[in-house]
Amino acid sequence: MRLLRGIDLDSIGARLRAPLHGYTLSLLALVASLLLVWLYWSNARQRELNAVQAEFAAETDAIAELLRQRLASYELVARGGVSLFASVDRPSAGQWQGYVDALNIAASYPDMLGLGYAPYLDRSELQALQLDMRDAGQGFYVVRPSGVRANYGPVLYFEPRTEANRAVIGNDLFADPLRHAAMASARDDDAVRITAPLQLGEDSGRPVTGVVMFAPVYRFGTPATLSARRAALQGWIYAPLDMSEFVASALHSTRRHAALSVRDGGSGQGEGTVLYADHAELAGRGSESDFRRTVPLELYGRRWELDFSADAGTALAARTPELRMTLGAGIIASLLLFGVALVLARTESLAERKAALLAESYQRSELRFRNAMRFSAIGKALLDRRGAIVDANPALAAIFDTSTDALVGSMFGAHFSDAGDEARRSREFAAVAEGVFRTTRQWRTAGGELRHAQLTYAPVPGEIGQDVASLVQVEDITERVLAHAREQALHRTLEARVALRTRELTHANHELESFAYSVSHDLRAPLRTIEGFSRLLGERYADKIDEVGRDYLARVRKAAGRMDDLIDALLKMSRVSRSPLTLAPLDISRIAREVVAELRIAQPQRHVEVEVEPGLRAVGDAALVHNLLQNLIGNAWKFTAGADNARIVVGGEDAPGEQAAFHVTDNGAGFSPEYAGKLFRPFQRLHNPEQFEGHGIGLASVKRIVERHGGTVGAEGRPGEGATFRFTLPREVAAAG
């Protein structure tokens, strides 16, 4: 009888009775028979429809349970990985591969793209892991994306080792917002969690949509508190799941009549992201006669909604073919009325649904705005076109030390100390009409204290009949203003102190320079006297002095000459520290080749194999860097004098940051590692001066040159096995200011 609602039967009957008096009984009999047929068919159909719908509900519950059980089996796999970490502090790559191979993922879990482990690391732990892997011969462990973060969750293991899975090693899962949310929840709740829908890659051109399951791994068992769990977290066992394969694997043995789509609703309401949908011939159903059912699943921190649909007419026809004959007897007479009623009912339903959605949307929007006003920690007020307060929140009342009722109706500008500035108020409202406008104002508290506020105006529409023109936010920035003033004062004080210290340092450097030249002059005068008279004594009285005396005179002259050389070396090292620094891009390879050419010209009898890596570049002072390489390569040249197949290598090294790293390596005499700290001190020598001449100033000059460029220098060596000197220089010229 629902199908006849809205039809004026009395009107139809009145129109029929007048022209058709002779067919009244026939029409009544026809109507009665059609009514009986329809009642019989309706009751029979309803019984069968209820049975089919019950089967449909049972089928959907069974499918939901199969999906839940399938996910539970993945949890067991992940928990197994956690157990492996409980028995071994950190399994090796081989142990992890053995565990995953034993699972036989390809056959048992075809929808699982792999099983991996991601450690939970801070920056220092990441660097230590990278060093351990490099020392173990596993190469440099690169984390993607690059950048400095507080914590990392990079993929360390991921099996099986397919080409696609190897490319995942090093990806920082903790840097991705969707994965981060699931990983943090698993960490804090000590529970397995899955992510929101993700794009996991492509399979033969088909985008793979799925989710990732995370199981936390703790050190020393499961902590009881949240802070303890965060501190004890070692990492996560994770498994990415292809949703299409997941549904196919879970339901491979089930004969389905209902079409299925899976939506991820997260923790929100309404429509969510579609995780899975059957192909078009199953998912395209949409008539009102379909069975439809939504089964919610709360799974590992996510809410999945399983939408089922089935063609009720097809299912019913398969069970009761005899109903078709009964339906055919009455379908001709009732078709028009059924169609009209269906259209009217459907139109009314759609209209009511849209009206309800619009009303609910408006109510939610109004509630959100009211809550934002009421619970905001920043003062807020709605102003009309005159600048009067229409509504205010408690935070604004607290700022002005009054009540919200007292604020409503008052002029907003009157609460500030510059309230009489009418021009300012006009400019502010003119700026609001063009968009968001910010300004600062001052007001005095009841105790007379002057406070500072930052005002942010924004145009907002009011309801019909309301004169609402703008929303203003009032933030008390007094402490910020005072802190800025203190910072400026401190900055000026520091600048004055720096200027004073600079003047003192400059004066000390000038005095030191004068002292160095004065000492060198005063020392050289007696040295020349000693050397001169020793030479005259040896020339004029050689026949009166025996062989021992002549040897003594030779030693005196040699010592005087060495003293003169040491004075020259000290002056040269002093000039290295005092000379102005002019930075420019340098070709380190070219400078090294020039130094080698000078050494070959000075000692053409030496045959030394020198390898200079091409393309070495840095920034520095050309003269000082030439001096640096001259000392390092000259040392290598000198200490390979006694080596067979003497060889020197000048090359670069990988170095992060703003410094370029280089090394000079030789296979010469070398040195004991315990004396490496004495190499860069002035006059410190580790070899016999009779075997290797020198003043002990060269490496001290190298250290000063490198440090003036903001770099570091170090040395490694072993007796008889050669030495390696490493140093760094800037990559680029530092920006001014």
Side-chain angles (χ1 to χ4, degrees):
M1 298 302 294
R2 180 171 56 90
L3 298 176
L4 301 178
R5 182 179 304 164
I7 304 300
D8 190 352
L9 296 179
D10 293 338
S11 158
I12 295 174
R15 287 196 298 267
L16 290 175
R17 280 194 300 271
L20 300 177
H21 291 292
Y23 299 96
T24 300
L25 293 177
S26 300
L27 289 175
L28 289 176
L30 178 60
V31 171
S33 62
L34 289 176
L35 181 60
L36 290 174
V37 170
W38 180 80
L39 289 174
Y40 172 79
W41 174 83
S42 179
N43 291 333
R45 182 180 183 279
Q46 189 61 46
R47 288 194 301 272
E48 297 299 333
L49 190 61
N50 291 340
V52 171
Q53 193 166 11
E55 293 178 359
F56 170 74
E59 179 182 341
T60 58
D61 289 337
I63 291 174
E65 184 60 28
L66 287 175
L67 296 180
R68 187 193 302 274
Q69 292 175 3
R70 187 70 176 180
L71 279 178
S73 67
Y74 297 140
E75 180 185 4
L76 293 177
V77 172
R79 292 291 188 186
V82 173
S83 300
L84 178 61
F85 276 79
S87 60
V88 180
D89 185 23
R90 179 189 289 167
S92 65
Q95 290 173 322
W96 182 255
Q97 182 181 6
Y99 169 72
V100 177
D101 288 345
L103 296 175
N104 193 12
I105 288 177
S108 302
Y109 307 99
D111 47 332
M112 185 185 295
L113 302 182
L115 191 64
Y117 169 68
Y120 182 60
L121 306 170
D122 58 24
R123 188 179 180 187
S124 61
E125 291 171 337
L126 175 61
Q127 293 174 348
L129 175 62
Q130 291 174 328
L131 291 175
D132 290 345
M133 295 182 68
R134 187 184 66 182
D135 294 342
Q138 300 178 21
F140 190 75
Y141 182 56
V142 179
V143 175
R144 301 177 301 274
S146 60
V148 177
R149 296 179 287 279
N151 296 102
Y152 303 81
V155 178
L156 183 60
Y157 304 139
F158 194 50
E159 298 290 340
R161 295 185 182 179
T162 63
E163 181 177 355
N165 288 354
R166 283 195 296 268
V168 175
I169 301 300
N171 283 351
D172 187 0
L173 305 181
F174 208 60
D176 176 66
L178 295 181
R179 293 180 174 88
H180 180 99
M183 296 166 78
S185 177
R187 173 196 64 192
D188 296 344
D189 299 338
D190 181 26
V192 175
R193 291 289 183 260
I194 59 177
T195 65
L198 294 169
Q199 189 75 25
L200 300 179
E202 293 188 355
D203 182 11
S204 301
R206 175 183 67 87
V208 177
T209 301
V211 296
V212 182
M213 176 178 285
F214 290 95
V217 179
Y218 298 100
R219 304 179 184 92
F220 318 119
T222 302
T225 64
L226 174 62
S227 58
R229 286 194 291 272
R230 292 184 175 180
L233 183 68
Q234 183 176 351
W236 298 268
I237 305 299
Y238 82 103
L241 308 177
D242 181 347
M243 281 303 299
S244 296
E245 291 293 334
F246 167 73
V247 175
S249 299
L251 308 180
H252 71 280
S253 60
T254 302
R255 183 180 179 185
R256 288 195 291 139
H257 300 90
L260 169 65
S261 66
V262 182
R263 288 183 290 114
D264 177 88
S267 58
Q269 301 291 329
E271 294 294 330
T273 304
V274 175
L275 274 167
Y276 168 83
D278 283 336
H279 42 83
E281 59 266 30
L282 289 177
R285 301 167 179 164
S287 68
E288 287 290 333
S289 62
D290 286 354
F291 291 140
R292 292 189 176 277
R293 187 171 185 235
T294 298
V295 179
L297 287 180
E298 300 291 341
L299 299 167
Y300 305 108
R302 305 296 300 178
R303 178 184 175 88
W304 284 5
E305 295 180 351
L306 310 183
D307 294 331
F308 296 93
S309 64
D311 189 344
T314 301
L316 190 60
R319 291 176 58 92
T320 57
E322 66 277 4
L323 291 178
R324 296 181 183 178
M325 298 178 62
T326 306
L327 180 62
I331 194 64
I332 298 175
S334 60
L335 183 60
L336 181 58
L337 294 177
F338 175 78
V340 172
L342 182 62
V343 170
L344 292 176
R346 190 166 185 177
T347 302
E348 181 184 10
S349 175
L350 290 175
E352 291 177 353
R353 188 182 308 167
K354 289 182 179 180
L357 289 175
L358 289 174
E360 183 180 0
S361 176
Y362 173 78
Q363 292 172 357
R364 287 177 179 272
S365 177
E366 177 72 12
L367 182 60
R368 284 194 295 267
F369 179 77
R370 292 297 175 188
N371 286 341
M373 282 278 293
R374 179 182 177 186
F375 299 112
S376 174
I378 299 176
K380 295 182 180 181
L382 289 173
L383 308 181
D384 63 14
R385 302 186 190 281
R386 299 181 300 108
I389 298 177
V390 177
D391 193 6
N393 69 344
L396 184 61
I399 289 175
F400 291 138
D401 194 18
T402 183
S403 65
T404 55
D405 293 337
L407 288 175
V408 174
S410 64
M411 297 301 294
F412 177 71
H415 296 278
F416 297 95
S417 57
D418 52 358
D421 190 350
E422 186 67 24
R424 171 195 279 265
R425 189 176 72 85
S426 299
R427 288 195 303 270
E428 290 178 356
F429 273 84
V432 171
E434 300 177 0
V436 176
F437 172 71
R438 292 181 175 86
T439 185
T440 57
R441 302 284 290 273
Q442 297 175 349
W443 86 96
R444 290 192 179 275
T445 64
E449 180 185 2
L450 183 65
R451 307 289 291 181
H452 301 266
Q454 177 174 316
L455 309 184
T456 302
Y457 291 90
V460 294
E463 296 181 9
I464 298 175
Q466 284 188 341
D467 184 18
V468 176
S470 61
L471 170 69
V472 61
Q473 292 188 163
V474 182
E475 184 177 2
D476 188 346
I477 60 170
T478 305
E479 299 301 327
R480 194 187 311 169
V481 171
L482 295 177
H484 181 69
R486 289 193 293 270
E487 180 183 354
Q488 293 297 322
L490 180 60
H491 182 67
R492 288 191 294 271
T493 302
L494 289 177
E495 287 182 345
R497 290 182 180 177
V498 169
L500 177 61
R501 296 294 185 268
T502 302
R503 288 195 297 272
E504 292 176 352
L505 181 59
T506 303
H507 180 68
N509 284 336
H510 287 317
E511 289 185 350
L512 181 61
E513 182 178 356
S514 300
F515 174 76
Y517 278 100
S518 175
V519 168
S520 66
H521 182 272
D522 293 343
L523 287 177
R524 276 181 167 162
L527 280 178
R528 292 192 185 98
T529 301
I530 293 171
E531 198 277 336
F533 280 106
S534 298
R535 178 172 51 80
L536 291 175
L537 186 63
E539 292 175 354
R540 296 182 181 182
Y541 301 98
D543 55 342
K544 297 180 181 181
I545 302 175
D546 59 8
E547 186 66 28
V548 175
R550 287 193 294 274
D551 180 62
Y552 289 163
L553 285 175
R555 292 188 181 187
V556 169
R557 292 187 64 190
K558 184 175 181 180
R562 177 170 175 79
M563 187 67 179
D564 190 62
D565 291 341
L566 288 175
I567 292 173
D568 284 337
L570 280 174
L571 290 175
K572 182 184 295 185
M573 188 169 67
S574 175
R575 285 193 292 272
V576 166
S577 301
R578 298 193 318 271
S579 61
L581 199 64
T582 303
L583 298 180
L586 301 177
D587 186 344
I588 303 299
S589 300
R590 180 183 61 78
I591 297 175
R593 287 192 289 268
E594 291 175 355
V595 172
V596 173
E598 294 170 1
L599 291 172
R600 293 192 189 280
I601 293 173
Q603 294 184 337
Q605 74 279 8
R606 289 286 307 277
H607 297 285
V608 181
E609 179 187 354
V610 181
E611 178 185 342
V612 179
E613 181 180 334
L616 301 178
R617 296 190 177 277
V619 167
D621 185 286
L624 293 181
V625 173
H626 187 278
N627 189 346
L628 181 152
L629 291 175
Q630 196 172 42
N631 279 300
L632 290 180
I633 300 176
N635 262 13
W637 185 279
K638 176 172 63 177
F639 288 107
T640 55
D644 297 332
N645 301 321
R647 188 170 187 268
I648 301 173
V649 177
V650 181
E653 298 182 351
D654 293 334
E658 300 176 355
Q659 294 286 316
F662 308 94
H663 66 86
V664 178
T665 303
D666 64 75
N667 62 346
F671 59 86
S672 297
E674 60 266 23
Y675 299 122
K678 301 172 64 177
L679 285 175
F680 300 100
R681 300 176 187 173
F683 308 114
Q684 295 292 328
R685 295 179 52 80
L686 304 184
H687 300 87
N688 188 346
E690 300 297 332
Q691 183 181 6
F692 300 105
E693 62 180 11
H695 306 107
I697 296 296
L699 291 180
S701 298
V702 166
K703 187 174 189 297
R704 293 193 178 189
I705 291 171
V706 171
E707 289 180 346
R708 286 198 68 190
H709 285 79
T712 58
V713 62
E716 300 174 359
R718 291 187 178 277
E721 298 180 9
T724 297
F725 289 83
R726 292 184 170 86
F727 63 96
T728 61
L729 294 172
R731 292 186 189 274
E732 300 177 355
V733 178

